[in-house]
């Protein structure tokens, strides 16, 4: 506790990110942080969604996927972006012409699915309590009702 951090908060361990320069807006992926022009200023924004400008079709592409190859066709993209340190009501669709390719792009760290899979529980699942009929305060187990018995002495058939 002497380190000055509050209990229960992460200790400054952030996911490693890859910072690179790109040559085309088609290399952007969902989750990356790039620079865009807004109100004649250059602002950093996170890409939340990507769509084909002509077809208005959303493209579900993440950092794990390979960049699109648009060398044969002249596809134009729009990016739904969230400007960092700004209110989310300012999120907007931005044409690829407002992308600043001279600035570096931060790509999120690729998740290792093998390390996160399996039977490991997340912190949220560990904290979650389910009501199974027992008392959370006392920790008692739920009572199982006795099965209904239908023997001849206790059960009489309905009269017709």
């Amino acid at each position: 506790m002497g380190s000055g951090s509050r209990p229960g908060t992460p200790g400054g361990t952030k996911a490693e990110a890859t910072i690179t320069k790109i040559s085309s807006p088609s290399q952007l992926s969902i989750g990356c942080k790039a620079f865009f022009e807004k109100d004649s200023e250059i602002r950093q924004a996170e890409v939340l969604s990507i769509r084909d400008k002509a077809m208005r079709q959303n493209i579900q592409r993440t950092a794990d996927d390979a960049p699109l190859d648009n060398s044969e066709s002249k596809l134009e993209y729009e990016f739904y972006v969230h400007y960092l340190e700004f209110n989310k009501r300012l999120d907007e669709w931005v044409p690829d012409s407002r992308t600043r390719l001279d600035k570096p792009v931060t790509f999120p760290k690729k998740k290792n699915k093998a390390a996160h899979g399996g039977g490991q529980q997340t912190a949220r699942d560990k904290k979650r309590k389910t009501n199974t009929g027992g008392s959370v305060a006392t920790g008692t187990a739920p009572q199982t009702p006795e099965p209904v018995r239908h023997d001849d002495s206790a059960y009489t058939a309905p009269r017709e």
Side-chain angles (χ1 to χ4, degrees):
M1 288 270 224
S3 64
S5 66
R6 295 186 330 200
T9 58
T13 56
K14 293 185 178 180
E16 294 292 322
T18 307
I19 301 174
T20 59
K21 287 206 172 206
I22 60 170
S23 60
S24 167
S26 66
Q27 294 174 321
L28 293 177
S29 61
I30 295 173
C32 71
K33 293 180 178 124
F35 287 87
F36 297 90
E37 293 178 13
K38 177 170 177 59
D39 301 330
S40 66
E41 292 183 17
I42 300 171
R43 303 188 188 275
Q44 189 176 22
E46 179 179 358
V47 177
L48 302 177
S49 185
I50 303 171
R51 70 180 179 192
D52 180 359
K53 190 174 182 179
M55 301 297 287
R56 298 277 196 245
Q57 294 177 348
N58 288 344
I59 301 168
Q60 298 301 321
R61 188 174 75 233
T62 61
D64 297 334
D65 301 330
L68 294 178
D69 181 24
N70 65 348
S71 57
E72 297 174 4
S73 61
K74 188 65 179 163
L75 291 176
E76 293 183 10
Y77 298 101
E78 288 183 325
F79 304 98
Y80 191 72
V81 298
H82 167 69
Y83 295 102
L84 301 181
E85 300 180 9
F86 283 86
N87 192 310
K88 70 178 184 177
R89 68 182 172 84
L90 298 175
D91 295 359
E92 64 180 345
W93 285 102
V94 178
D96 59 1
S97 60
R98 287 178 34 195
T99 306
R100 293 300 303 255
L101 300 177
D102 58 332
K103 300 282 186 179
V105 177
T106 305
F107 290 94
K109 180 182 179 182
K110 294 181 181 180
K111 293 181 181 177
N112 187 356
K113 294 179 183 178
H116 291 92
Q120 295 181 358
Q121 287 183 327
T122 62
R124 181 178 178 188
D125 292 337
K126 288 179 184 177
K127 291 180 184 177
R128 183 175 289 159
K129 292 183 175 76
T130 58
N131 187 4
T132 57
S135 171
V136 175
T138 61
T140 60
Q143 298 294 325
T144 307
E146 289 191 27
V148 178
R149 296 178 52 190
H150 296 288
D151 54 7
D152 292 337
S153 63
Y155 177 75
T156 56
R159 296 181 190 171
E160 291 185 7

